[in-house]
Amino acid sequence: MSKAFFWDLQGTLGGDATADIDTFIPYTFSKPALHLSKQNVYLNIVITNQSKIGKGLVSLEAYEKTKASILSYFNSEEQLIDDFLCCSHQNSDNCNCKKPKTGLIEMCIEKYELNIEDCYVIGDMGKNEIIMAHNAGCKGILVLTGGGKASLGEFRHTWATHDADLIADDAIKAVKMIIESF
């Protein structure tokens, strides 16, 4: 059985939490965080909600081009990202893959033969990543980059029934805390 980190993209590994994906700029600590997780035998799987595709505000072609650029950056020296999954649906589509739903995690459990108890969701939005982690049966780590501080503050009510298993300043500190704590 394998273990994995399920990473949020925007606001966690770089960029603005709610901006268009084509404005994504990686944080300086993101590559070292992904590298450290690989050193500790974790798969790195990005799961991102991109409802602007479903709304027709971003074309699938533009998304795929940006995704390729992001993967090229992170995997240029070594393969740091093992998979990159996207939910392009709107809330009204009622899919099973839009965070905080667990459809994409469930697909990865089967595909990679993951032990869900050895998996972590790392993200900056409690209402998405922390709830998804608990729904899937893994641990949820809130980072304070992107929308993390607001998620923990003014938007805490959107995930009030759940708690993060850990809170970290950023992605690299999250990985270090996980390795030391669990």
Side-chain angles (χ1 to χ4, degrees):
M1 288 248 164
S2 299
K3 55 187 182 177
F5 288 145
F6 295 105
W7 293 94
D8 173 52
L9 181 65
Q10 293 165 263
T12 302
L13 293 175
D16 184 313
T18 58
D20 289 344
I21 191 171
D22 63 354
T23 64
F24 180 85
I25 297 172
Y27 297 137
T28 56
F29 51 75
S30 295
K31 263 190 174 181
L34 294 168
H35 177 74
L36 182 59
S37 69
K38 294 296 276 188
Q39 283 183 316
N40 285 274
V41 199
Y42 285 91
L43 294 171
N44 288 315
I45 301 168
V46 172
I47 296 179
T48 181
N49 284 347
Q50 296 294 326
S51 62
K52 291 178 182 179
I53 297 170
K55 293 174 183 174
L57 301 173
V58 173
S59 72
L60 188 56
E61 180 179 85
Y63 162 77
E64 290 293 342
K65 183 178 178 184
T66 301
K67 173 184 168 182
S69 175
I70 292 168
L71 285 171
S72 176
Y73 170 78
F74 282 116
N75 292 345
S76 62
E77 297 161 18
E78 65 180 304
Q79 184 171 350
L80 296 176
I81 295 177
D82 298 289
D83 212 336
F84 194 115
L85 305 170
C86 168
C87 171
S88 61
H89 301 110
Q90 303 175 58
N91 288 336
S92 60
D93 293 331
N94 199 27
C95 65
N96 74 342
C97 58
K98 186 172 183 67
K99 295 185 281 185
K101 294 181 181 174
T102 59
L104 295 175
I105 288 180
E106 292 165 15
M107 183 183 77
C108 289
I109 290 169
E110 185 175 325
K111 180 178 181 180
Y112 296 106
E113 298 180 1
L114 298 174
N115 179 1
I116 196 63
E117 294 172 3
D118 292 330
C119 295
Y120 302 85
V121 176
I122 304 172
D124 68 320
M125 297 280 190
K127 70 179 184 141
N128 287 338
E129 287 84 38
I130 302 306
I131 292 175
M132 179 176 70
H134 289 279
N135 288 345
C138 55
K139 291 179 177 59
I141 316 305
L142 183 75
V143 291
L144 299 179
T145 52
K149 289 179 183 174
S151 186
L152 197 55
E154 65 185 288
F155 296 107
R156 182 64 174 102
H157 68 279
T158 64
W159 55 292
T161 58
H162 296 79
D163 290 313
D165 292 290
L166 290 173
I167 298 171
D169 288 339
D170 56 44
I172 187 72
K173 290 181 181 164
V175 174
K176 288 177 181 177
M177 289 173 74
I178 291 166
I179 291 166
E180 293 169 5
S181 299
F182 298 106

